[in-house]
Amino acid sequence: MEAILAVIIILMIAGSIYTLHARDLLSAVISYGITGFGLVICFLLLKAPDLAIAQLVVEIITLIIMIAVIRISTRKDLTEKTTIRVEGERYVNLRSVVYFVTGGVFILGFLYFFIQATSVLDPFGVHSVRMASVYIEQGVDLTGAHNLVAGVLFDFRAFDTLGEATILITAVIGVLTVLRLKGKK
Amino acid sequence: MILYILCFILFLVGLFGAITRRNVIKIVLGICIMEYSLNLLLILIGYMEDGVSPIVVKGGESNFVDPLPQAMVITVIVIGLATTAMLLAIAIRLYKKHGTFDIRQIKNLKG
Amino acid sequence: MTNIVKTISRFMSGVVFFFGVYLLTNGHLSPGGGFAGGTVMAGAFVLMVLAFGDNIMHLRKTKEGSTIIENLAILMFLLFAAAGMWLGAKVFFHNYLDIGVAGKLVSAGTIPLFNVFVGIEVAAALFTVFLAFVIFKEEEQ
């Protein structure tokens, strides 16, 4: 189980690295699909079928929207070369050096603190249910729903769902405002 | 434990992309990769060995995986699509106004 | 698109739509629920628009008419979304209906109603986002 998940996550990492390094924006978006569909398989293996259905369709719609954006703009990427050529001689591009050093410092710092923090967590596969023990033991009696996720989502933590609906409609209104057809005169 | 670190490496790849790329679309993709890795980390923490998915079939089972992270993540997935669409809308407005996706040339705040 | 794509998607989009309705109404018994069902229903509409172009909803007749109809269509979807949210918000606090026998289709109090309204809202929101991008592309050309 752990080995299969590790292989899938390594595949997702490879896909995302290619996403960031592709010269063509269309191939970058399509290889971004590797990450999303790998996530669907991970959800299925981790016993979360609700999430797998939602993530599958959301991934497809995201891909369609991104391709629509790239079709009406340009496909050319702006990746900078690490060496520049001035009058026949090669020089190292100082700006890319600054980029990579900044990224490396951030990444090493975050990785250090994450490894410090993971030592507190339970190891994979052993999970001590603290918050959700009431939901698991008495969820069916209290809500009457056989799907415990629906019970948590719409009964125990319904305020969270209300906030989610508010955020969703706000984002849609924001998209319509930004993409308004005729500007105000 | 190795799975958590791999999942965090996925997060770091997205962070690296969001920091170092010049293209606006690449920055959006990096932010989406960070969001995916966070979803995966929450579900990985809630998994239990020999657990079944949290749906009562016959009654009497008790070895469910944790339903709480799943209920949190299913809202995050749908919100993630809406925020991605918002980012792409802003990116395409920038392209129509400036004619490029380069964030180095989109720096005049006048007008 | 070609005739093959049009014919196949005309059959399949109905199937996909009713699969979404099934996920929506059986959300408290089986995997599915409001969010998954709503995204699947939005996927059916997206399939139709992708196969037939955006004049299937009469969005591109004339410039003036298309603007009015676009606005009405988007406004209707927004009203659907707002109705789902409003009706949900009024009764979010406790499960005041009868719980009934767990495992039947009509049970679990208000959870199936919440599933239906949240599903309608999610489907309307995703389809509105998709339609905004498609209309924007057609307008610029």
Side-chain angles (χ1 to χ4, degrees), chain A residues 60-70, chain B residues 81 84-85 88, chain C residues 126 129-130 133:
Chain A
I60 293 170
I61 296 178
T62 310
L63 215 59
I64 290 171
I65 290 175
M66 284 187 178
I67 289 175
V69 168
I70 287 173
Chain B
L81 178 56
T84 306
L88 286 173
Chain C
L126 297 194
V129 167
F130 172 74
F133 280 92

Side-chain angles (χ1 to χ4, degrees), chain C residues 32-135:
Chain C
F35 294 98
T39 50
V40 172
M41 280 166 64
F45 285 114
V46 168
L47 183 62
M48 285 299 276
V49 174
L50 280 185
F52 287 91
D54 53 355
N55 54 2
I56 187 174
M57 302 212 171
H58 306 289
L59 295 175
R60 208 167 41 135
K61 271 183 184 170
T62 61
K63 195 162 170 96
E64 298 298 319
S66 77
T67 317
I68 296 171
I69 296 175
E70 276 161 27
N71 290 339
L72 279 182
I74 290 175
L75 193 67
M76 202 177 71
F77 280 116
L78 276 180
L79 276 181
F80 264 121
M85 201 178 68
W86 179 66
L87 285 175
K90 258 178 88 174
V91 288
F92 250 157
F93 306 110
H94 67 287
N95 202 343
Y96 65 95
L97 287 178
D98 189 16
I99 286 179
V101 183
K104 291 286 170 57
L105 184 62
V106 181
S107 68
T110 52
I111 291 178
L113 294 177
F114 288 162
N115 265 329
V116 169
F117 283 122
V118 168
I120 289 174
E121 194 226 333
V122 170
L126 297 194
F127 187 58
T128 309
V129 167
F130 172 74
L131 212 59
F133 280 92
V134 169
I135 289 171

Side-chain angles (χ1 to χ4, degrees), chain A residues 2 14 45 113 120 122 165:
Chain A
E2 207 168 344
L45 287 177
F113 285 115
V120 186
D122 298 328

Side-chain angles (χ1 to χ4, degrees), chain A residues 50 72 146-147 154-155 159 181, chain C residues 28 30 32 70 95 115 137:
Chain A
D50 302 320
I72 56 180
H146 270 191
N147 191 349
F154 294 109
D155 199 316
F159 265 120
L181 293 177
Chain C
H28 55 295
S30 61
E70 276 161 27
N95 202 343
N115 265 329
K137 181 182 72 178

